Amino acid sequence: MGIKEIKGGIQAVLFASGDPFEAQRLAELFSVNTSIVENIVESINEDYQNLPFQIITLGDSYQMVTRAQYEEVIRQALDVKRNAALSQAAMEVLAIIAYNQPVTRAFIEQVRGMDSSSVVTSLVNKGLVAEAGRLEIPGRPIAYETTPAFLRCFGMKDIKALPKIPQREEP
């Protein structure tokens, strides 16, 4: 299979999938290594430069998406309700999870100093946070981590793109 066919195949898979698709799976599908897939995706994005869509990188996956400038017209055309802004509590919990993941509710509540179970449940329901498994400690609490939807919502390639937390200078 030539580069042209692989390029078309990658576009077809990403378009049909609609969800993030792992680079490794694309590489296996087309019997190439992931660096070739990465180069082809870059080439596709160059082709898409003047089009209303692009391929974004989310961790080790790719997803075909529309450009942000078309958000309003898509929302109107599809009659999509605007997502409600996250509350201050939700932003606090999301930040705690993002910077410390995987974390338990007890850890979140210790940092915030208040019950956060309803906020965590809300973030799970919105798809921004997911269960990462259970810890091997008494009670086997659930640990939470951010999701690819979190990365998409905040426009990040991966969790390493989080801004650095300023450190306090010692007096």
Side-chain angles (χ1 to χ4, degrees), residues 1 16 48 60-61 75 93 97 103-104 131 163 168-169:
M1 186 178 285
Y48 289 177
D60 60 355
S61 299
R75 179 172 280 123
V93 170
I97 295 170
V103 297
T104 63
E131 291 183 12
R168 283 196 249 181
E169 292 183 25

Side-chain angles (χ1 to χ4, degrees), residues 4-170:
K4 186 176 180 179
E5 290 81 16
I6 295 171
K7 191 173 182 178
I10 288 173
Q11 292 173 86
V13 168
L14 294 178
F15 178 80
S17 169
D19 291 321
F21 202 90
E22 291 180 1
Q24 183 62 42
R25 284 184 58 203
L26 286 171
E28 291 168 3
L29 185 64
F30 297 106
S31 301
V32 296
N33 64 43
T34 55
S35 63
I36 291 176
V37 169
E38 182 179 335
N39 290 337
I40 291 173
V41 168
E42 287 176 14
S43 172
I44 293 168
N45 273 331
E46 288 173 13
D47 295 345
Y48 289 177
Q49 206 165 16
N50 296 315
L51 296 175
F53 42 87
Q54 64 185 334
I55 297 173
I56 60 171
T57 304
L58 298 167
D60 60 355
S61 299
Y62 296 109
Q63 184 174 14
M64 187 176 285
V65 299
T66 53
R67 295 187 189 276
Q69 69 201 58
Y70 296 98
E71 175 185 3
E72 190 56 39
V73 72
I74 292 168
R75 179 172 280 123
Q76 289 174 1
L78 300 178
D79 196 29
V80 177
K81 292 184 171 69
R82 187 175 288 272
N83 286 335
L86 293 174
S87 67
Q88 180 66 32
M91 291 297 285
E92 288 173 7
V93 170
L94 203 49
I96 292 166
I97 295 170
Y99 281 99
N100 300 286
Q101 60 188 309
V103 297
T104 63
R105 281 187 183 163
F107 177 84
I108 295 165
E109 291 169 0
Q110 180 182 4
V111 172
R112 288 191 72 224
M114 59 181 36
D115 178 54
S116 301
S117 57
S118 64
V119 178
V120 172
T121 301
S122 170
L123 292 171
V124 169
N125 291 339
K126 291 180 188 302
L128 298 173
V129 171
E131 291 183 12
R134 292 189 174 268
L135 298 183
E136 293 297 327
I137 59 174
R140 301 208 51 223
I142 298 170
Y144 295 92
E145 64 186 0
T146 57
T147 64
F150 166 82
L151 296 174
R152 272 193 310 277
C153 287
F154 289 92
M156 293 187 286
K157 177 179 177 180
D158 58 33
I159 205 70
K160 295 176 190 155
L162 282 171
K164 300 292 180 227
I165 298 174
Q167 300 297 316
R168 283 196 249 181
E169 292 183 25
E170 296 296 322

